């Protein structure tokens, strides 16, 4: 296999039609200073471009002529704070809504001690004009990876030294009372009461890197203490 030059940062697409002989289908520079996670769903590719925010691409699902070998850019948005690390595009099976993408901002931190960054909520109602409408902030901590229980409308975020946070993300996240609206117009999910659960904050220090869901259990990888198994059934939904 060929080693891809990391400068400039590049999106690489592999054709796995023959898993024994993967074929490089696309190499496209993007990202500032790099491209981090990607998310693919329903023929749409979302790329996390760090300080360039996220970009939404048609790879066969939007009718713009895109394909995995030739993605067509639909739109992009620079999320507040930059450092766009990961993303999840929420499909609500109850209402059919596919409006919101949740973007994790991985700000500066010290392993085992502190972290920073927010979860940013991007409205994809019009993928050609995505806009950030809400955020979630934990003072002195920041998110890394997250997962979702879409059936229940709950986002679970690994929050490094902030443990694990569970957010109710159903409904209209862009509509909030004046007291829950930041000066820039975005809704503050914390002030809206959207946080419905916190775990791994009452014992020894933690630094939670990732979460994986196998209902009703959530598994959390703590860089300081190992693997934790959490019961999500008690969360009121």
């Amino acid at each position: 296999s060929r080693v891809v030059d990391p400068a400039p940062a590049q999106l690489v697409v592999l054709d796995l039609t023959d898993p024994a002989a993967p074929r490089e289908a696309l190499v496209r520079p993007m990202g500032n200073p790099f491209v981090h996670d990607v998310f693919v769903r329903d023929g749409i590719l979302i790329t996390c471009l760090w300080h360039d925010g996220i970009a939404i691409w048609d790879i066969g699902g939007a009718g713009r002529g895109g394909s995995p070998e030739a993605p067509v850019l639909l739109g992009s948005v620079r999320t507040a704070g930059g450092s766009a690390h990961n993303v999840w595009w929420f499909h609500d099976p109850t209402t059919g809504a596919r409006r919101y993408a949740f973007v994790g901002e991985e700000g500066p931190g010290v392993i085992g001690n502190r972290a920073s960054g927010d979860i940013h909520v991007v409205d994809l109602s019009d993928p050609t004009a995505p806009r950030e409408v809400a955020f979630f902030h934990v003072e002195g901590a920041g998110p890394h990876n997250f997962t979702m229980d879409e059936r229940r409308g709950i986002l679970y975020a690994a929050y490094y030294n902030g443990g694990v946070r569970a957010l109710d993300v159903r409904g209209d996240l862009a509509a909030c009372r004046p007291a829950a609206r930041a000066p820039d117009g975005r809704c503050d999910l914390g002030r809206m009461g959207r946080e419905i659960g916190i775990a791994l904050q009452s014992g020894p220090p933690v630094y939670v890197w990732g979460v994986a869901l196998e209902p009703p259990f959530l598994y959390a990888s703590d860089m300081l203490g190992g693997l934790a198994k959490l019961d999500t059934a008690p969360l009121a939904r």
Side-chain angles (χ1 to χ4, degrees), residues 18-142:
D18 181 358
R23 180 181 66 86
E24 194 174 83
L26 173 73
V27 176
R28 180 175 295 182
M30 64 177 68
N32 176 23
F34 41 74
V35 54
H36 206 279
D37 287 19
V38 299
F39 190 93
V40 176
R41 193 169 202 175
D42 294 346
I44 300 295
L45 165 69
I46 304 176
T47 54
C48 295
L49 306 178
W50 214 250
H51 296 315
D52 282 347
I54 65 169
I56 300 94
W57 307 82
D58 173 28
I59 57 171
R64 301 296 181 89
S67 70
E69 295 189 354
V72 172
L73 182 64
L74 298 175
S76 63
V77 60
R78 291 185 177 180
T79 45
S83 301
H85 169 275
N86 62 305
V87 61
W88 187 291
W89 181 22
F90 174 35
H91 287 21
D92 189 332
T94 301
T95 65
R98 301 179 179 184
R99 181 176 178 183
Y100 296 119
F102 300 91
V103 181
E105 171 196 354
E106 186 176 18
V110 176
I111 293 178
N113 182 264
R114 56 183 170 82
S116 64
D118 292 341
I119 294 175
H120 302 269
V121 184
V122 175
D123 188 336
L124 295 183
S125 298
D126 179 358
T128 67
R131 60 191 183 96
E132 184 174 342
V133 296
F135 68 97
F136 178 71
H137 176 78
V138 176
E139 190 64 33

